[in-house]
């Protein structure tokens, strides 16, 4: 890791008519990344025809930059559009050229149709907005479309399903570039759900669903403050003042997973943060996050990320060595 941080350049392509929500997500999330007091990303929006750009909401945006901005990007993100079945050949050519140059290329929502038209998703795992999944399969049968995930990464190409799933994709990119601690801080600052589970080698990801209720919110907060303790289902149920059966039912309704699955995810996320931001020995990291032993930490972290604790620390540590380099 070099001592000097060079901001990663993200160019967002806005097809016409562009989704305002899709367009806002990258700037909102990447723009909140700070590492050692410096911005982690530079975000620029461009379009095929600079000037007034129609949106799906009936407004016009003024976008001064054309597709030549893609040449200077490290990552290219194609936003969703209200005309997904009519890929702009200029955008298709731009993302194809970006991919040929080794850039990371991502799409939000229906932006996946632009990537598919460019041939980037052929034989690869991908996803898009569920309402257009059948049309994607019909038009691009060689795409390995996954309809049950919020976002998918296959090599240098990332796609997300509709609407807020773009938030999860952006946070995944931030975590890949700067680690879990930075991504979780961005999520906290943006008041969105934290980084969902997944790993550097697990390209198809089924992230933890967003929490949909507040009945167990106090118990989740209490568990987060006590991750260093060997919490059981009985402990969680006692805190919530309900039976284990009731807790399990309510917890799953609110969080989409069982209490113990949720707890394991939080322990692994805490372990990641400690590996990134401290020099604690592995047994102390394991104890602090409630995984018990260094062997248990190694097993769970390797299964989740494909990296051993020492390898994860080497790749993502910010202790004394500066921020992680971004190509």
């Amino acid at each position: 890791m070099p001592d000097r941080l060079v901001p990663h350049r993200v160019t967002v392509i806005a097809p016409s008519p562009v989704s305002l929500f899709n367009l806002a997500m990258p700037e909102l999330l990447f723009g909140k990344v700070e590492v050692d007091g410096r911005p982690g990303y530079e975000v620029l929006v461009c379009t095929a025809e600079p000037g007034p750009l129609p949106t799906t909401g009936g407004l016009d945006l003024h976008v001064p930059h054309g597709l030549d901005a893609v040449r200077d990007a490290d990552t290219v993100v194609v936003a969703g559009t209200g005309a997904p079945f009519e890929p702009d050949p200029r955008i298709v050519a731009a993302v194809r050229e970006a991919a040929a140059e080794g850039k990371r290329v991502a799409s939000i929502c229906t932006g996946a149709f632009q990537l598919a038209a460019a041939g980037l998703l052929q034989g690869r795992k991908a996803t898009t907005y569920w309402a257009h999944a059948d049309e994607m399969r019909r038009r691009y049968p060689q795409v390995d479309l996954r309809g049950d995930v919020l976002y998918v990464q296959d090599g240098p190409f990332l796609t997300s399903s509709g609407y807020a799933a773009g938030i999860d994709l952006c946070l995944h990119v931030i975590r890949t570039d700067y680690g879990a601690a930075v991504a979780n801080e961005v999520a906290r600052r943006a008041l969105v759900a934290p980084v969902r589970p997944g790993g550097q080698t697990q390209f198809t990801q089924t992230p933890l669903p967003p929490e949909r209720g507040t009945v167990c919110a106090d118990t989740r907060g209490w568990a987060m403050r006590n991750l260093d303790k060997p919490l059981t289902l009985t402990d969680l149920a006692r805190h919530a003042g309900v039976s284990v059966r009731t807790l399990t039912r309510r917890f799953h309704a609110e969080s989409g997973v069982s209490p113990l699955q949720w707890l394991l995810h939080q322990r692994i996320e805490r372990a990641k943060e400690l590996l990134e931001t401290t020099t604690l020995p592995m047994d102390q990291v394991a104890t602090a996050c409630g995984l018990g032993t260094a062997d248990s930490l190694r097993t769970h972290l390797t299964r989740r990320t494909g990296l051993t604790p020492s390898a994860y620390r080497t790749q993502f540590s910010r202790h004394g060595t500066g921020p992680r380099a971004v190509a």
Side-chain angles (χ1 to χ4, degrees):
M1 294 187 190
D3 292 329
R4 186 174 66 88
L5 172 67
V6 177
H8 188 103
R9 292 164 295 187
V10 176
T11 295
V12 183
I13 299 177
S16 176
V18 70
S19 163
L20 282 170
F21 187 39
N22 280 194
L23 197 60
M25 278 184 253
E27 192 283 327
L28 170 67
L29 296 166
F30 294 127
K32 290 188 180 298
V33 175
E34 290 187 3
V35 182
D36 295 338
R38 299 179 181 180
Y41 295 93
E42 293 177 352
V43 183
L44 185 103
V45 176
C46 70
T47 191
E49 291 186 14
L53 174 69
T55 71
T56 55
L59 303 175
D60 281 352
L61 297 177
H62 180 75
V63 180
H65 302 288
L67 294 175
D68 54 346
V70 173
R71 297 192 188 99
D72 296 325
D74 298 307
T75 294
V76 178
V77 180
V78 182
T81 172
F85 309 143
E86 303 170 10
D88 189 317
R90 294 165 294 182
I91 294 177
V92 170
V95 297
R96 185 184 291 128
E97 181 179 346
E101 293 175 353
K103 302 180 190 294
R104 181 168 55 191
V105 181
S107 66
I108 298 176
C109 195
T110 56
F113 282 84
Q114 310 276 347
L115 273 62
L120 306 189
L121 304 181
Q122 185 170 341
R124 293 185 180 273
K125 304 175 185 68
T127 191
T128 190
Y129 182 44
W130 65 269
H132 299 316
D134 288 343
E135 188 65 20
M136 172 71 83
R137 292 188 179 97
R138 188 185 72 80
R139 290 171 178 262
Y140 307 103
Q142 293 181 318
V143 175
D144 184 4
L145 195 69
R146 303 299 175 95
D148 59 346
V149 297
L150 294 182
Y151 62 95
V152 176
Q153 177 171 356
D154 193 331
F157 307 124
L158 301 93
T159 53
S160 72
S161 55
Y163 295 98
I167 295 174
D168 298 293
L169 182 143
C170 291
L171 288 174
H172 168 69
V173 169
I174 294 169
R175 177 178 59 189
T176 300
D177 292 342
Y178 293 106
V182 173
N184 287 342
E185 176 60 24
V186 169
R188 283 191 288 266
R189 293 180 63 187
L191 298 178
V192 297
V195 179
R196 315 302 179 89
Q200 303 308 305
T201 61
Q202 185 180 342
F203 293 140
T204 301
Q205 309 203 23
T206 304
L208 195 67
E211 294 171 357
R212 296 184 291 273
T214 59
V215 174
C216 297
D218 287 344
T219 296
R220 290 194 293 268
W222 171 79
M224 289 289 290
R225 295 189 296 272
N226 291 276
L227 288 178
D228 59 327
K229 299 180 175 60
L231 302 176
T232 65
L233 274 176
T234 301
D235 294 328
L236 296 172
R238 184 181 298 116
H239 182 274
V242 297
S243 67
V244 169
R245 182 176 180 180
T246 299
L247 173 82
T248 301
R249 175 174 54 80
R250 290 180 178 176
F251 210 101
H252 196 283
E254 293 183 13
S255 300
V257 292
S258 72
L260 293 184
Q261 286 175 316
W262 177 89
L263 190 60
L264 177 59
H265 171 63
Q266 304 305 329
R267 293 191 192 285
I268 294 172
E269 289 300 306
R270 178 67 57 81
K272 288 179 181 179
E273 291 201 28
L274 291 173
L275 289 169
E276 293 172 22
T277 59
T278 75
T279 58
L280 289 173
M282 297 305 172
D283 57 344
Q284 291 185 29
V285 171
T287 299
C289 66
L291 289 174
T293 66
D295 286 342
S296 178
L297 169 64
R298 181 186 181 90
T299 297
H300 287 294
L301 191 70
T302 303
R303 183 179 300 151
R304 179 63 58 83
T305 69
L307 298 172
T308 64
S310 58
Y312 187 91
R313 173 170 274 168
T314 298
Q315 183 167 348
F316 291 110
S317 175
R318 295 175 51 215
H319 185 86
T321 55
R324 180 173 180 241
V326 180

